[in-house]
Amino acid sequence: MSDDEGRAARVTGRTAAELVDSLESMSDMYIGVGADWRMTYINAQAEVRLGVARDEVVGKDIWLRFPELLGTVFEETYRQVAATGETAVIEAEYGRAALWCEARVHALSRGGIAIYFRDISGRRAVERERERLLTAERAAREAAEVAQRDLVHQARHDELTGLLSRSGLLHEVGRLLDGRPEAPLTVAFLDLDRFKLVNDSLGHAVGDRVLQEFARRLEALVGPADAVARFGGDGFVVVLVDRSAAEGGRFAEQVVEASRQPVDVGARLLVTTSVGLATATGRADLDVLLRAADAALHRAKDTGRERVVWFDEQMHRESVHRVELERDLRLALDRDELFVEYQPAFDLRVERVCHVEALVRWRHPVRGLVGPAEFIPVAEETGLVHRIGELVLARAVEEARRWTHLPELRVWVNVAPQQLVDREFPARLAAQLDRAGLPADRLGIEVTESALADWSRAGEVLGRVHDMGVAIAIDDFGTGYSSLARLTDFPVDVLKIDRSFVQQLGTTRGDALVAGIVTLARAIDAHVVAEGVETLSQLTALSALGADSACGYLLARPSAPENLPLALVTDGPSGERAGLHPSLALVPARGREDAVGPSRARVQPIG
């Protein structure tokens, strides 16, 4: 060998040694494969990763020694590079090496291939975590979208019946009108007749089944472009789109007829319906039509139920008046236009004023005096009755404090059913009494018989009020609904006979009704007050039948506190008693004593 050849061999040897050192020190796997697919070299990292010794694999066929490569992307890539001589790079999981790797495959000049396996497990873990986070984000976004759709659906649909809610109806009709803005609308407002009786007598579960069945029948009657909604309670609304008034009328009659079919709830139950209709032939305002149909529904209820009524001009005038009245009533409360008068009641046994009833009045700046029968129903419908009730209570308590020098005089205040379901009412009442320094037994509250229907709430409130020492009266007794069993559990001090019964006195029926109420009152240890006394014959009959007290225009009209006949009763020099009402002096004493007995004539009134 020449010197040049020797130097070249030494250089080549050093280069080869340096290459081997480099391959052995690298952290990546390296495998050399000859043209015959026999392995020519593996580095130390490959030995460790693959769990083999170098002398066990060098010279061996790669497919026989590592058969797990067959049929994989590794075999495909190795053979492709060997055939084309073009470098290829793949990323894959090498199971035997427990490695996610980037395999770079080169063709060798003398034939065969060289394979470098770079560990990309860290990068792959980051990518997989990113993918996991992206997947989780997509899932969360999809879940949020589903939840949002569910919330929108819940907000726009009634949970019990599956029908649209009020907001859902407005949205659906608005969507329909966006495409057909001039389409005529007919609105039907429906209400089940006497449905409250179903809930009160058979329970809310049965009531819910009735509502669900009625909703099903409604859906079967409407067309694909119509919208059906439940407006809470037993109220339903159907909006008929692009239908004539005649079609709307026929639809309403079909609803009434469908409601006449019994509902099977274990027993066959019949609950009829009333319908109010309103229509607009041009561009319609749904809110206006709803109010109009509601007004027509109220007319249907007031004129006999189980009928269809169209909104007309008269109802329009009444509706406008109702809106104006509500607006003016709100202003009246802000402007202190409401005031209180007092109606005295006279004890028929000791012949003097035993209590006064606080009555709210409204002096309108334009209309003058507005009667309670006109504005109290509006107050109850709008919730203003709470403000009015607090106003009257505060003024009555303050006035009662000024009358504490009068023996046992009690002031009565009317309390609306809406106030009795407010559990904070007793606390506010106690605070009023404390501020005025008024003993509780100088105050009484009057409730209507309808308050007894919701005994679960009203009973709790009235029990707390009665425990304070405040007396309780049932106003207009006999005109509402109350069971005798419930009446015995009710903390009642006074039954007030309605004026309609007083007006029937002198007839067999009238006398029997009043006598029955007096007998019932005695059984529950309650006093009896007759209202609306206008004639001496009525007063005489009441005394004879055993009523304890009476009030009415014959005796005294409601008036301001300073005009009440509240002078103390005293004996005059001739033995005559001063301070008595003239009509009371004309009532035969024998009749009173025969009815209540001599000893009862001397009993002091409780007010």
Side-chain angles (χ1 to χ4, degrees), residues 114-253:
I115 313 159
Y116 293 88
F117 297 89
R118 186 162 68 87
D119 185 353
I120 60 170
S121 299
R123 191 189 81 195
R124 178 64 181 174
V126 171
E127 290 174 350
R128 292 181 67 179
E129 177 64 12
R130 184 183 300 116
E131 289 174 3
R132 186 190 68 79
L133 292 174
L134 288 173
T135 300
E137 181 184 357
R138 283 194 298 270
R141 186 166 55 248
E142 290 171 0
E145 291 171 354
V146 170
Q148 181 62 30
R149 287 195 296 271
D150 288 345
L151 286 174
V152 170
H153 184 273
Q154 291 172 13
R156 293 178 179 170
H157 289 79
D158 172 58
E159 183 178 0
L160 177 66
T161 63
L163 299 178
L164 294 170
S165 62
R166 181 187 181 92
S167 63
L169 180 77
L170 296 175
H171 178 270
E172 182 65 16
V173 174
R175 185 185 65 79
L176 290 170
L177 291 180
D178 284 343
R180 304 161 65 186
E182 301 300 328
L185 298 183
T186 296
V187 172
F189 216 126
L190 308 97
D191 191 83
L192 298 182
D193 298 328
R194 301 181 183 87
F195 181 73
K196 187 176 187 301
L197 185 60
V198 175
N199 276 338
D200 290 344
S201 58
L202 300 179
H204 289 276
V206 171
D208 287 349
R209 290 168 62 186
V210 171
L211 292 173
Q212 290 169 333
E213 173 60 20
F214 185 71
R216 185 191 65 77
R217 294 179 187 181
L218 274 183
E219 287 187 297
L221 292 173
V222 299
D226 304 324
V228 189
R230 181 187 175 207
F231 267 37
D234 59 325
F236 295 82
V237 169
V238 177
V239 178
L240 305 174
V241 181
D242 204 8
R243 307 269 286 273
S244 68
E247 288 176 305
R250 284 194 294 272
F251 166 78
E253 293 294 347

Side-chain angles (χ1 to χ4, degrees), residues 12 62 546:
T12 299
I62 189 172

Side-chain angles (χ1 to χ4, degrees), residues 342 393-403 435-436 438:
Y342 297 86
L393 179 62
R395 295 187 182 178
V397 167
E398 184 60 31
E399 205 62 56
R401 185 184 64 80
R402 298 190 181 97
W403 293 328
R435 275 195 296 269
L438 181 70

Side-chain angles (χ1 to χ4, degrees), residues 508-521:
T508 302
R509 170 184 168 82
D511 291 352
L513 286 171
V514 172
I517 294 173
V518 171
T519 301
L520 176 61

Side-chain angles (χ1 to χ4, degrees), residues 445-512:
I445 64 171
E446 297 186 15
V447 300
T448 60
E449 278 188 279
S450 60
L452 298 178
D454 190 7
W455 173 250
S456 60
R457 296 287 296 273
E460 175 194 343
V461 171
L462 286 169
R464 290 164 58 192
V465 169
H466 199 258
D467 290 343
M468 291 164 48
V470 175
I472 295 174
I474 299 182
D475 197 15
D476 300 336
F477 183 76
T479 60
Y481 164 79
S482 62
S483 67
L484 294 180
R486 183 166 290 174
L487 190 61
T488 58
D489 295 332
F490 201 71
V492 178
D493 298 293
V494 172
L495 296 182
K496 301 190 76 173
I497 301 175
D498 185 65
R499 67 178 63 247
S500 62
F501 297 149
V502 172
Q503 290 170 356
Q504 296 180 51
L505 286 169
T507 68
T508 302
R509 170 184 168 82
D511 291 352

